[in-house]
Every structure is written in structure tokens, then in C-alpha cells.
Amino acid sequence: MSKLERDMNSYRAKLNLYTKELRKAKRDSWARHCESIENTSEAARLRKVLASNPTTPGYIKHPEGSWSNSSQETLELFMETHFPGCKNTDIPGSKQSNLLESTQQELNIEQIITEQKIIWAINSFKPYKSAGPDEIIPAFLQNALNVIVPWLRVIFTSCIKLRYVPMSWRKVKVVFIPKAGKPTHSTAKDYRPISLSSFLLKTLSRRTSMCTRK
């Protein structure tokens, strides 16, 4: 590019015009996106993106009126309130049950766990639902169907035959959401728990539960 003054001035003017048009296109695109939102889940996702200070539980009151003294105590109070009797235990391993012996039972499993039915189960989830501890959202599975479905069929079939659920699938992430309409959110009962588990387990569960209802 020529470094003559008139050429540099022309370059700067065109660069400024390009920058203005780019900003305008971004604003118009964002406006169209916001106007296209029609359901609650999309609006909630947008709010989460825009929230600079997302709502997180801090210190809350015990039933007798005293306040929790730490974040750990707050979490323990949430667990006692919403999951009474639940204990944190270390499970070093899990015994596998014997393989199903009945040929008829094995035949039924092969009919239930088919590649077409696994694809149906995976596609029944909304692509960007919140993931469990494994951080796998449905969109990941939906965009890799050709690769993962044959492997999932083998894994799901083995899970049922062995009556065994992989340890990583048993982990659940719980998020406590403030209940709408509450004047304050100072007690554990002012929140509701959302349990986020693995979509691999949900796929197997949805596949087998649909066949059970039939």
C-alpha cells in the first residue's frame, strides 16, 4: 500500500466506515436474536449470559434463626433441607451382578437397545440443556451420532445385562435456584434444587423407560 498522505487518509476513512458498519451489523443481529426469543428456556439462557453477577446462595438462616457461618455450612444446610438423610460416602467400587442367563431376556434387550432408538433418545433432548458433572451437553452427542451410537449400543446393552451403572454416571451436580415470588431468599426453603446428571445415563433411562411404558 502506498504511504502517500492521500492514500493513508483514504485508508483511514474506509477503515472507519468498515468499523461503523461492523458495529451496526452486530447491533442489528443482537436485536434480531432478542426479538426471536419466544420461550422461557431461551429467555433464561439469555438472562444467564447477561447477568454480570449471577445469583448464588450466600449465608442463610438455620430453622432456629441463626445464620450459617461459612459457605460449607450453607451447602450442608441445603443438603439437610432438600435431601434429608443423604450422606457423603466414598464408594471404592461396585460389585457387578451376574450376566442375565435367560436367552429370552437377552433377546429383549437387543430389541430395546437399537441404534435407531438410541438416536431417537439423544435427539429428544434440547441441544443446550445444562450438563451434568461430565460437562457433556446433548449438542455434543447429537453432532457425533455416526461415531458414538454403535459404541453406545454396546455400552448400554452391557449395562443392562450386568445390571451395572458406571460410577461416573452416578454423579449428580445440584444447583440451588431461588424460588420466584419470594420476598427474600434467606432460608434453604426459599430455594429449589435442580439435579444435573449425565446425558448418557438419561439417554439409557429414556430409552428403557419408553419401552417399559409400552
Side-chain angles (χ1 to χ4, degrees), residues 129-189:
K129 293 286 287 184
S130 297
D134 57 11
E135 300 297 332
I136 298 176
I137 62 174
F140 295 165
L141 304 177
Q142 292 164 358
N143 285 283
L145 290 175
N146 293 336
V147 177
I148 66 172
V149 168
W151 291 97
L152 288 180
R153 184 185 182 190
V154 175
I155 294 171
F156 291 164
T157 301
S158 299
C159 286
I160 296 178
K161 287 183 177 181
L162 291 169
R163 300 186 179 95
Y164 178 80
V165 177
M167 295 298 297
S168 61
W169 293 4
R170 305 183 198 180
K171 297 179 181 179
V172 178
K173 179 168 65 176
V174 180
V175 179
F176 295 95
I177 307 296
K179 292 181 179 178
K182 291 284 186 178
T184 63
H185 297 94
S186 58
T187 68
K189 291 185 178 180

Side-chain angles (χ1 to χ4, degrees), residues 26 73 96-97 103 112 121 135-136 139 146 156 164 171 178 195:
K26 288 181 177 180
E73 186 178 348
Q96 299 181 8
S97 300
T103 303
I112 293 173
E135 300 297 332
I136 298 176
N146 293 336
F156 291 164
Y164 178 80
K171 297 179 181 179
S195 299

